[in-house]
Amino acid sequence: MTTQAGQAPVLSDDEFPDNPWPALWALVVGFFMILVDVSIVSIATPALMESFDTGIEPVLWVTSAYLLAYAVPLLITGRFGDRFGPKRLYLTGLAIFTLASLACGLAPTIGWLIGARVVQGLGASMMTPQTMAVITRTFPPARRGSAMALWGATAGVAFLVGPLLGGLLLDSVGWEWIFFINVPVGIIGFVAAARLVPRLQQHAHQMDWVGVGLSAVGLFLVIFGLQEGEGHDWGQIVGPLTVPMLIGAGVLVLVGFVVWQARGPAEPLVPLGLFRDRNFSLSNLAITTMGLSVTAMMFPLLVWLQSVRGYTPTEAALLMAPQAIASIALARPVGQLVDRIHPRVLPTLGLGGFAVTLFVLSRLMTPDSSIVAVCVAMTFIGVTGACIWGPLATTANRNLPIHLAGAGSGIYNTTRQVGSVIGSAAIAALMSARIASHLGPQAAERFGSGEGSAAAGPAALPPQVAEALSSAFAESLLLPAAVLVLGAVAALALEQMRHQRG
């Protein structure tokens, strides 16, 4: 441990603090906030349309711009954390995110709001990889499972709290407070992280600027194409430019990026040697299916609760509460198990159980099913999620060398986020197709975007329409269920951790 004048001690790679938990809790505050902002705005779409007197497409970009700015730089910011120190980059990102949140709440135009959301996303992208990197570098391998379980529970709960918190704020104080609430939370998180998170040894990496450019362009084209696909009917965007051309170009650039990483730089942005670790590769595959499925699950379920069962946005979000409660309650015991049992056990049970639960839930999505049974199913989603988020994060990074913690975290979070974007695009297209099959193309245009506020409610729906919509939403839910089976197969192939062998 070294100390510089007037500064906190710097931990070397072979040192671990006696009690790293306060630092982790300080990081969790900001991590939870940025993940909540992924989903919190979606429920405010009607309010934003009314406030800015604009159509749905510009308002949808309030969410899309954030996701794009959040996902694209993750590989780069993970590597920056290794080079400049995860604490420094986390605090910089948190300050940017908090100030951008204030700008969002004060936005006089929709264009201003979209621009501020881009800045918000950039701040979030600087923070996310550092949370996992700090866990890897402050918790010894034998104690890392409990810490990653808390990290995972935070990620799982945040996806559910967003719509609920958004609904409560909309019903009480207005859409501006969806963003204003981040300001005091951000200040508290900044002070806590500055005081409690240790400074970690920096590694003088050479930056692969060609790799930075290729990864940013490739991810931007692919993610932008997926986000815009459904809105442009997977065809022409402008002039001769089409969605398939955009995605295809992005894939080609990413292929070029991989080739460059393998043969070009002295120190690549993504060290491909990381993927020689079976657990790292399989965990990335499994978390991609999880990110896809959690995002895809929310759209048909929330729209069904509001359009067919007649719940308000806040009431529909409250029905998700059992899932969050179960995830929080199981975080500690699951974390203790992660450090003791084979890494394949919990993720395989979780992903397989999640798939079965979604299948059961699809059978419950009828106009007159028991809402109590739906709540029980939601509870099981929380139980299975607790077995997935933390255990997979632990398994992905536990075998990696300390000096590549940021790179590994950036890759892991990028695959999770890309999975979420694919899930959003896929479920929107599938819902539109299933509704068109049951009710015709005009109904698909109304409901296919997944916006529950577009629903008319059961009083305005003839019984045959309610039944058809329920069938369409239930069939859409089978997509994430099927994808989770692939994730379970990947988790089944995980191997014993190195520190546990022998």
Side-chain angles (χ1 to χ4, degrees):
M1 181 183 297
T2 60
T3 304
Q4 300 178 12
Q7 294 183 338
V10 180
L11 295 179
S12 63
D13 289 345
D14 57 354
E15 292 180 298
F16 298 101
D18 294 333
N19 182 17
W21 284 99
L24 176 58
W25 281 107
L27 293 174
V28 160
V29 173
F31 182 53
F32 180 80
M33 183 172 63
I34 61 180
L35 289 182
V36 165
D37 260 51
V38 173
S39 58
I40 194 172
V41 178
S42 60
I43 204 165
T45 298
L48 293 174
M49 291 172 63
E50 180 179 355
S51 178
F52 292 110
D53 191 24
T54 188
I56 191 170
E57 186 170 344
V59 172
L60 289 179
W61 264 103
V62 174
T63 297
S64 297
Y66 177 82
L67 288 173
L68 198 62
Y70 178 29
V72 169
L74 283 171
L75 288 177
I76 304 164
T77 56
R79 201 61 163 155
F80 278 178
D82 288 332
R83 183 178 184 182
F84 300 110
K87 178 177 180 177
R88 179 182 299 173
L89 213 64
Y90 177 88
L91 290 176
T92 302
L94 181 55
I96 292 172
F97 182 91
T98 303
L99 291 173
S101 297
L102 179 62
C104 287
L106 297 173
T109 66
I110 191 67
W112 176 298
L113 179 57
I114 292 172
R117 287 285 279 173
V118 170
V119 179
Q120 240 192 345
L122 292 173
S125 74
M126 298 174 69
M127 296 165 63
T128 298
Q130 317 318 322
T131 58
M132 286 184 67
V134 169
I135 291 173
T136 300
R137 296 178 63 180
T138 57
F139 284 82
R143 297 171 55 197
R144 209 167 286 158
S146 298
M148 283 295 187
L150 174 61
W151 183 92
T154 301
V157 171
F159 283 113
L160 306 171
V161 168
L164 173 58
L165 181 61
L168 293 174
L169 291 173
L170 280 172
D171 291 342
S172 55
V173 290
W175 68 265
E176 294 88 350
W177 282 91
I178 287 176
F179 305 107
F180 284 153
I181 196 172
N182 291 336
V183 177
V185 176
I187 293 173
I188 293 170
F190 188 94
V191 173
R195 291 176 59 88
L196 299 175
V197 177
R199 295 172 61 239
L200 301 173
Q201 182 178 350
Q202 299 174 20
H203 299 279
H205 295 289
Q206 298 178 21
M207 284 308 298
D208 171 23
W209 294 111
V210 175
V212 167
L214 290 173
S215 67
V217 171
L219 285 171
F220 176 85
L221 292 174
V222 170
I223 294 174
F224 181 82
L226 290 171
Q227 287 180 335
E228 290 292 285
E230 180 64 19
H232 291 87
D233 198 25
W234 300 97
Q236 183 183 27
I237 296 178
V238 60
L241 186 64
T242 65
V243 172
M245 287 172 58
L246 206 62
I247 296 175
V251 171
L252 286 176
V253 173
L254 289 177
V255 170
F257 168 71
V258 172
V259 172
W260 170 254
Q261 297 300 282
R263 309 178 67 176
E267 193 168 0
L269 179 66
V270 174
L272 298 181
L274 293 178
F275 291 96
R276 296 193 188 102
D277 183 88
R278 182 199 292 185
N279 285 357
F280 181 76
S281 298
L282 292 174
S283 295
N284 273 275
L285 175 58
I287 200 61
T288 302
T289 67
M290 183 61 176
L292 186 155
S293 300
V294 167
T295 303
M297 171 198 79
M298 298 294 286
F299 282 99
L301 186 58
L302 286 172
V303 178
W304 171 74
L305 286 170
Q306 294 173 72
S307 64
V308 177
R309 301 306 296 263
Y311 291 100
T312 66
T314 301
E315 291 169 341
L318 278 171
L319 289 172
M320 304 285 181
Q323 183 177 353
I325 293 170
S327 292
I328 295 171
L330 290 174
R332 184 177 180 84
V334 166
Q336 293 171 340
L337 281 175
V338 169
D339 291 326
R340 299 174 183 173
I341 64 177
H342 197 289
R344 74 164 61 104
V345 175
L346 290 174
T348 303
L349 291 175
L351 290 160
F354 194 0
V356 172
T357 304
L358 288 185
F359 177 78
V360 172
L361 190 57
S362 72
R363 302 302 91 193
L364 294 173
M365 291 173 66
T366 64
D368 53 1
S369 60
S370 168
I371 207 65
V372 174
V374 172
C375 287
V376 171
M378 296 306 300
T379 304
F380 273 99
I381 289 177
V383 171
T384 57
C387 297
I388 300 169
W389 293 106
L392 278 180
T394 305
T395 304
N397 291 278
R398 192 172 249 168
N399 289 340
L400 302 186
I402 291 294
H403 70 282
L404 294 177
S409 177
I411 295 168
Y412 185 83
N413 283 284
T414 298
T415 58
R416 173 181 57 80
Q417 196 60 39
V418 170
S420 297
V421 174
I422 294 173
S424 176
I427 200 65
L430 181 59
M431 285 174 63
S432 179
R434 297 318 304 154
I435 293 171
S437 175
H438 285 279
L439 290 172
Q442 290 184 341
E445 291 179 5
R446 183 181 182 187
F447 291 97
S449 66
E451 296 294 333
S453 59
L461 294 179
Q464 64 272 23
V465 174
E467 188 69 41
L469 281 175
S470 294
S471 297
F473 297 143
E475 291 163 6
S476 300
L477 207 62
L478 296 178
L479 170 64
V483 171
L484 285 166
V485 174
L486 298 177
V489 172
L492 191 61
L494 293 169
E495 62 182 0
Q496 185 68 284
M497 293 294 184
R498 290 175 189 166
H499 75 282
Q500 294 175 330
R501 296 173 191 170

